[in-house]
Amino acid sequence: MKILIIKTSSGFVDVTKATYNLQEIGLARAFNRQGHKCDVVYWGGKNEKVVDMEYDENKFFQVYYLKAIDLLKNGIYSNRLIELTKNYDIVHCGGYDQLESWILARKIPEKLVIYNGTYYSEFNVNYNRKCKIFDKFFLPRYKKKNICFDTKSRLSAKFLKDRGINDVTAIGVGIDLEQLKAKKMIKSEFATQIQEQKDKGIKFVTYIGRIEPRRNIIFLLEVFKEIAKEKENIKLLMIGKGEEKYKNECFNKIKQLGIEDKIIYKEYMKQEFLPKIYNLSDVFLLPTRYEIFGMVLLEAMYFNVPVVTTYNGGSDMLIDNNSNGIIIKDFNVENWKNKSIELLENKVLSDEICRKAKEKIEKEFTWDALVPKFIELFNKILKKD
């Protein structure tokens, strides 16, 4: 099968230097490994070029940077894209609210599959307002053309079905083990410092991700404060960038709570060094208010750290509650503290959760594991013809 993956949002992505898990690249590698021809299109701005990406030794697929404009973070491509799609059986793009997806639904509906991640959340006030516009202009075309959707979560599938889109399949998101260099635990100077503290009996509560209101960092700090009251040899490790205003709010909160000496903050770490940091962590907290999927959940579960998080797009797909992770649906500090301390003190429980978590990721949520689900869906589309 010949598959073209299109990133419909604008913004230049340099695939030759990227160290993060680029979903389009990870999925394309997996398709090609399993005998399908799959290439990728990225926003090229005013320039066009083709980059060869290696997926196995001396085997390559193409990444096309096509000319496109940026309209409110939407990438709008020229007719060059339509010409390119003629060479493929399936065109896989995201998402429901992207203008290029809507355009492609008119031009190539018979081979289009839209990969969606968004879903309803009270936190997404602005997006919920936008949906009223999307529903008015986008829905009629999607329904009329019988466009097929696959989604990153069951919550996203429900979001579409609630709008009367019936051809929806929840598949999920995969981890790109090659990009993460998962077979290596590469040490950094920072990891060595953490290891030295671990050797002295310090335990680490860890958060990795953007420092932003959506991720509820103020609440995280309040939870950690309560954990620290009961656990003397404990520190909070935070890694992530953020806007200065909110970061300052968080640092002020740290001072207010009197936990400055228990916080280790690092703004940025290369992706190749993160596996070791996960592996040194004792519990991973993600009290997010909204998460399309949350690659940090995949990573933490794969790299053997027990996860405590909210009910969100990713956790609903990945976590069997109280078995391979913990989902807490409220923002009650006491509940989060108690679950965290239980994991910190009960090594048998923590190890069992980690074992089951890694097993689930390996079996179900690598890109290679997800390819058969995508192909099954794509075959149904082709049989419609």
Side-chain angles (χ1 to χ4, degrees):
M1 188 180 299
K2 295 180 180 179
I3 305 155
L4 184 66
I5 298 174
I6 303 171
K7 184 173 178 63
T8 52
S9 57
S10 61
F12 183 74
V13 177
D14 189 345
V15 297
T16 65
K17 296 180 180 179
T19 58
Y20 190 62
N21 178 48
L22 296 175
Q23 293 181 13
E24 300 82 13
I25 300 300
L27 182 54
R29 281 197 183 106
F31 277 133
N32 281 289
R33 282 196 200 101
Q34 297 187 32
H36 305 280
K37 170 62 175 173
C38 182
D39 298 316
V40 177
V41 171
Y42 278 118
W43 185 88
K46 296 180 179 180
N47 302 305
E48 290 198 358
K49 65 177 179 178
V50 181
V51 175
D52 290 331
M53 287 293 295
E54 190 170 19
Y55 64 93
D56 280 333
E57 189 173 355
N58 295 321
K59 294 182 180 179
F60 299 87
F61 63 91
Q62 282 66 55
V63 174
Y64 294 91
Y65 287 93
L66 299 184
K67 289 182 180 179
I69 63 171
D70 176 356
L71 181 61
L72 301 175
K73 297 184 180 180
N74 290 261
I76 309 298
Y77 292 91
S78 68
N79 285 332
R80 170 84 172 91
L81 176 61
I82 298 302
E83 288 300 311
L84 185 62
T85 64
K86 292 177 182 178
N87 300 320
Y88 299 87
D89 304 307
I90 291 290
V91 174
H92 194 240
C93 75
Y96 161 81
D97 58 330
Q98 287 290 316
L99 288 172
E100 187 61 47
S101 299
W102 184 65
I103 292 168
L104 292 171
R106 177 174 65 85
K107 294 186 176 181
I108 53 167
E110 71 285 351
K111 61 172 68 177
L112 182 67
V113 179
I114 299 178
Y115 189 36
N116 195 64
T118 53
Y119 59 91
Y120 177 79
S121 167
E122 291 182 359
F123 179 76
N124 276 359
V125 176
N126 290 334
Y127 182 74
N128 296 336
R129 291 191 187 117
K130 289 178 184 177
C131 278
K132 293 181 180 179
I133 299 173
F134 297 150
D135 292 349
K136 181 176 181 179
F137 292 101
F138 287 32
L139 269 177
R141 180 174 294 175
Y142 290 151
K143 290 181 179 179
K144 180 180 179 181
K145 299 291 186 178
N146 295 315
I147 300 301
C148 175
F149 285 78
D150 51 12
T151 66
K152 298 181 181 183
S153 70
R154 286 184 286 264
L155 292 179
S156 183
K158 182 180 184 301
F159 169 84
L160 295 173
K161 289 177 180 178
D162 287 347
R163 281 157 172 72
I165 297 174
N166 297 316
D167 196 351
V168 183
T169 303
I171 291 182
V173 175
I175 195 169
D176 186 349
L177 299 185
E178 179 178 330
Q179 192 66 29
L180 283 174
K181 300 181 180 178
K183 295 180 180 179
K184 300 179 181 178
M185 285 289 178
I186 303 174
K187 286 187 177 181
S188 60
E189 183 179 342
F190 183 71
T192 299
Q193 294 170 2
I194 299 300
Q195 182 69 69
E196 289 172 353
Q197 294 189 56
K198 290 275 292 186
D199 293 341
K200 295 176 182 177
I202 301 295
K203 291 193 173 184
F204 286 91
V205 174
T206 298
Y207 168 84
I208 298 174
R210 282 193 63 81
I211 308 301
E212 59 183 347
R214 174 171 66 91
R215 294 290 182 81
N216 215 1
I217 306 302
I218 298 295
F219 176 78
L220 170 67
L221 296 171
E222 292 171 345
V223 171
F224 178 74
K225 167 67 176 181
E226 296 305 309
I227 295 172
K229 284 182 180 178
E230 298 189 25
K231 303 289 292 182
E232 183 177 347
N233 294 326
I234 192 84
K235 289 192 177 182
L236 174 61
L237 174 57
M238 299 172 61
I239 300 174
K241 296 180 180 181
E243 293 183 1
E244 286 302 314
K245 181 180 178 181
Y246 187 68
K247 280 174 60 178
N248 288 337
E249 287 181 30
C250 294
F251 294 140
N252 289 335
K253 186 69 175 181
I254 288 169
K255 291 178 182 178
Q256 178 188 328
L257 294 171
I259 53 176
E260 299 100 314
D261 61 331
K262 292 185 175 292
I263 305 293
I264 298 176
Y265 173 67
K266 192 170 182 64
E267 186 174 57
Y268 173 76
M269 280 199 76
K270 289 183 178 180
Q271 190 72 26
E272 62 187 0
F273 296 132
L274 287 178
K276 186 61 179 176
I277 298 301
Y278 282 115
N279 198 242
L280 289 170
S281 302
D282 295 285
V283 61
F284 185 87
L285 299 188
L286 182 66
T288 182
R289 291 189 176 97
Y290 175 78
E291 206 70 37
I292 285 179
F293 198 84
M295 296 308 298
V296 289
L297 292 176
L298 274 171
E299 294 169 6
M301 291 173 72
Y302 183 81
F303 290 115
N304 298 307
V305 51
V307 167
V308 182
T309 187
T310 53
Y311 179 61
N312 57 69
S315 67
D316 183 50
M317 298 290 284
L318 298 170
I319 295 178
D320 306 311
N321 201 15
N322 297 310
S323 176
N324 66 351
I326 307 296
I327 296 174
I328 302 178
K329 293 187 176 182
D330 59 40
F331 291 108
N332 181 289
V333 171
E334 189 74 7
N335 290 343
W336 282 74
K337 179 206 74 173
N338 290 339
K339 284 296 184 181
S340 299
I341 289 178
E342 183 180 12
L343 291 169
L344 290 165
E345 293 182 343
N346 190 334
K347 189 175 188 308
V348 173
L349 173 65
S350 177
D351 287 349
E352 181 66 4
I353 284 175
C354 290
R355 182 188 68 79
K356 290 179 179 178
K358 184 163 187 171
E359 184 178 84
K360 179 143 189 172
I361 302 306
E362 288 181 326
K363 287 185 176 180
E364 300 180 36
F365 288 97
T366 66
W367 287 120
D368 289 305
L370 290 175
V371 160
K373 295 182 179 180
F374 284 109
I375 294 300
E376 181 181 4
L377 175 62
F378 296 169
N379 278 326
K380 289 180 182 178
I381 301 300
L382 297 177
K383 287 176 182 177
K384 286 181 180 180
D385 298 340

